[in-house]
């Protein structure tokens, strides 16, 4: 096993940055008070949480509404799916390529008798708008379409989808899972027009176990968790001050301090990787549409090889990549059957996801090792 580490699985999770970890340690030690307590030190913590909540809303250009901290993207998505007001048996539309934390609740709602419809996706992982529009009517109570795909990085035009929904499904609440979009592209919630938007800190160098659900004013939604009434009653449980500090610091660093530089560095890195893969390796199927995706993801399919086998071969050289959603890697991805890949490519999917911590100079090494391993792995397939 190599000592070298080239981490290219940043869509699964990112490393907590040193600055974020330092601030979190301070918050855990100096700011350990229960934010609901009445003495001044606890009130300071609670005031700081309010300050960070407001900061996140303004960074995302949120319209009037509330941002509720959750235990992550999964909880935010479950709250959106299960806790919005829906007439019994009404129609719910969910993208076919949604993350399991939307897809599984949608299946549960189907089992409960809702008319759940899965909107088809195209080969780049984004929703087919023509097919989506056909599903709209005034019986739709909820729509959930992700902003950026965790499998391909493909971007849905959420503002356009919201406009269609307002026109043809006027009773629907619109939720978008923004977990893979936040801090990767500029997000303007007012311009998107969504009612609900989910996010998760560990995708942008914050800690795991903290996320948020933005709820636009006037959206009918109830809590998922009941108890002490924290988060204005929407999410009971003692607030994890340190986690919220980590979320806020990570977002601030990504958006306020380094966004432009990181965006162009990551885009150039992906461009170079794409160019090397497609010119130096035969028959690579490029799944990500680089003209309509977050800049950090490049999903491709190699011919005559299994993605998980190549993943482990690369791991020997210290290169860590993904084969799609890490969260669903324990079961056959429903996703790959939707991409229309031919039989020789469909098992060979690899997702490279880059962060600003990667260096473009790593690409030559990575592509060399892929070539070397593919030569070994496909040698016997060809004879
Ligand atoms: N939504 C998307 C698109 C994701 O990629 C993930 C994580 O992989 C989640 C939701 C779940 O977020 P969390 O890990 O914070 O529960």
């Amino acid at each position: 096993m190599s000592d070298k580490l080239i981490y290219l699985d940043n869509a699964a999770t990112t490393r907590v940055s040193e600055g974020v970890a330092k601030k979190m340690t301070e918050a855990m030690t100096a700011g350990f008070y229960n934010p609901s307590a009445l003495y001044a030190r606890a009130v300071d913590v609670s005031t700081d949480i309010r300050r960070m909540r407001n900061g996140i809303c303004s960074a995302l250009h949120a319209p009037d509404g509330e941002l509720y901290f959750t235990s992550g993207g999964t909880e935010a998505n479950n709250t959106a799916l299960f806790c919005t007001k829906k007439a019994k048996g009404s129609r719910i539309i969910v993208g076919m390529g949604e993350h399991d934390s939307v897809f599984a609740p949608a299946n549960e709602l189907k089992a409960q008798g809702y008319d759940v419809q899965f909107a088809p996706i195209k080969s780049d992982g984004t929703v087919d708008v023509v097919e989506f529009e056909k599903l709209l009517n005034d019986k739709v109570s909820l729509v959930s379409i992700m902003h950026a795909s965790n499998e391909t990085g493909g971007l849905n035009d959420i503002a356009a989808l919201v406009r269609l929904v307002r026109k043809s499904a006027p009773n629907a609440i619109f939720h978008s899972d923004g977990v893979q979009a936040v801090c990767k592209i500029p997000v303007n919630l007012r311009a998107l027009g969504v009612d609900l938007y989910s996010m998760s800190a560990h995708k942008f160098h914050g800690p795991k176990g903290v996320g948020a659900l933005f709820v636009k004013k006037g959206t009918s939604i109830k809590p998922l968790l009941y108890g002490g009434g924290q988060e204005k009653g929407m999410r009971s449980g003692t607030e994890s001050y340190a986690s919220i500090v980590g979320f806020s610091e990570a977002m601030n660093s990504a958006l306020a301090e380094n966004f432009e530089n990181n965006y162009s560095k990551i885009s150039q890195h992906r461009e170079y990787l794409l160019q090397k893969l497609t010119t130096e390796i035969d028959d690579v199927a490029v799944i990500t549409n680089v003209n309509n995706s977050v800049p950090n993801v490049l999903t491709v399919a190699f011919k005559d090889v299994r993605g998980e086998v190549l993943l482990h071969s690369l791991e020997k050289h210290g290169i860590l990549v993904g084969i799609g959603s890490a969260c669903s890697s324990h079961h056959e991805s429903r996703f790959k059957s939707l991409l229309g890949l031919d039989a020789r490519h469909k098992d060979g999917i690899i997702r490279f996801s880059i962060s600003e911590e990667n260096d473009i100079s790593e690409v030559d090494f990575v592509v060399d090792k892929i070539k070397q391993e593919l030569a070994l792995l496909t040698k016997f397939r060809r004879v």
Side-chain angles (χ1 to χ4, degrees):
M1 201 61 75
S2 164
D3 286 343
K4 201 179 175 96
L5 176 65
I6 299 181
Y7 182 70
L8 290 173
D9 199 17
N10 289 281
T13 197
T14 53
R15 195 178 68 88
V16 173
S17 59
E18 307 288 342
V20 168
K22 192 162 166 278
K23 293 270 187 196
M24 287 180 69
T25 308
E26 281 165 23
M28 270 186 279
T29 49
F32 71 91
Y33 309 98
N34 188 322
S36 300
L38 298 181
Y39 30 82
R41 285 163 198 243
V43 173
D44 286 349
V45 171
S46 146
T47 308
D48 200 32
I49 292 177
R50 195 168 336 121
R51 175 192 64 80
M52 292 186 280
R53 195 191 310 278
N54 292 339
I56 294 166
C57 281
S58 71
L60 299 177
H61 309 277
D64 245 15
E66 277 293 343
L67 182 107
Y68 301 106
F69 290 110
T70 63
S71 63
T74 299
E75 186 188 321
N77 286 342
N78 272 255
T79 308
L81 272 277
F82 286 125
C83 303
T84 38
K85 191 172 167 198
K86 299 178 277 295
K88 260 206 156 27
S90 58
R91 176 168 286 194
I92 295 168
I93 303 173
V94 166
M96 196 69 206
E98 296 297 306
H99 186 264
D100 281 345
S101 56
V102 166
F103 203 76
N107 275 325
E108 173 56 25
L109 289 165
K110 189 172 179 177
Q112 291 175 14
Y114 288 93
D115 170 23
V116 177
Q117 298 289 329
F118 295 98
I121 55 171
K122 298 181 294 182
S123 56
D124 68 346
T126 62
V127 164
D128 183 328
V129 181
V130 175
E131 294 301 318
F132 173 81
E133 202 173 357
K134 290 181 192 160
L135 299 170
L136 300 176
N137 63 36
D138 60 4
K139 301 276 185 309
V140 181
S141 57
L142 176 68
V143 174
S144 185
I145 302 289
M146 70 206 317
H147 198 175
S149 164
N150 51 300
E151 307 272 0
T152 65
L155 282 170
N156 286 305
D157 185 348
I158 296 296
L161 296 176
V162 169
R163 280 195 296 276
L164 289 176
V165 167
R166 300 297 182 228
K167 184 168 75 128
S168 307
N171 303 314
I173 290 173
F174 198 113
H175 166 249
S176 183
D177 173 355
V179 167
Q180 294 287 347
V182 167
C183 297
K184 304 296 183 294
I185 52 165
V187 172
N188 183 326
L189 293 180
R190 189 173 296 115
L192 293 181
V194 292
D195 301 307
L196 303 166
Y197 195 82
S198 304
M199 53 204 105
S200 176
H202 75 96
K203 305 293 184 179
F204 48 87
H205 303 288
K208 292 160 190 62
V210 61
L213 179 67
F214 174 76
V215 179
K216 194 165 87 182
K217 196 172 172 187
T219 307
S220 285
I221 186 162
K222 286 178 153 187
L224 183 67
L225 301 178
Y226 291 82
Q230 289 89 347
E231 299 287 289
K232 297 195 174 164
M234 250 308 279
R235 205 283 182 175
S236 286
T238 305
E239 298 89 336
S240 177
Y241 177 51
S243 304
I244 296 168
V245 166
F247 182 141
S248 162
E249 283 295 321
M251 179 173 271
N252 205 33
S253 161
L255 294 183
E257 293 164 21
N258 303 311
F259 188 77
E260 302 291 335
N261 278 348
N262 289 347
Y263 190 95
S264 71
K265 183 178 175 195
I266 292 169
S267 306
Q268 278 168 23
H269 193 142
R270 178 174 73 169
E271 189 59 43
Y272 186 47
L273 177 62
L274 174 65
Q275 183 230 314
K276 294 261 302 179
L277 288 174
T278 49
T279 54
E280 296 184 20
I281 300 174
D282 283 345
D283 274 334
V284 176
V286 181
I287 296 166
T288 299
N289 173 0
V290 291
N291 298 316
N292 181 38
S293 52
V294 284
N296 55 312
V297 177
L298 180 63
T299 304
V300 301
F302 296 99
K303 195 165 83 177
D304 293 338
V305 70
R306 291 189 70 82
E308 54 270 46
V309 175
L310 182 56
L311 177 151
H312 289 302
S313 305
L314 294 174
E315 189 182 0
K316 287 188 300 199
H317 304 285
I319 301 165
L320 303 184
V321 297
I323 50 166
S325 174
C327 316
S328 61
S329 56
H330 53 272
H331 58 74
E332 176 79 357
S333 168
R334 93 190 102 84
F335 193 79
K336 66 182 184 191
S337 61
L338 302 169
L339 296 174
L341 291 167
D342 64 64
R344 294 181 75 176
H345 284 92
K346 78 173 179 20
D347 293 323
I349 297 177
I350 292 284
R351 179 186 68 187
F352 301 94
S353 49
I354 304 159
S355 96
E356 64 284 3
E357 292 184 349
N358 294 112
D359 198 279
I360 199 162
S361 64
E362 295 166 352
V363 172
D364 295 328
F365 179 79
V366 169
V367 175
D368 271 354
K369 293 301 165 202
I370 294 174
K371 285 196 285 195
Q372 184 183 318
E373 292 302 329
L374 281 178
L376 288 172
L377 294 170
T378 55
K379 190 170 166 192
F380 301 106
R381 284 267 194 139
R382 284 199 299 263
V383 288

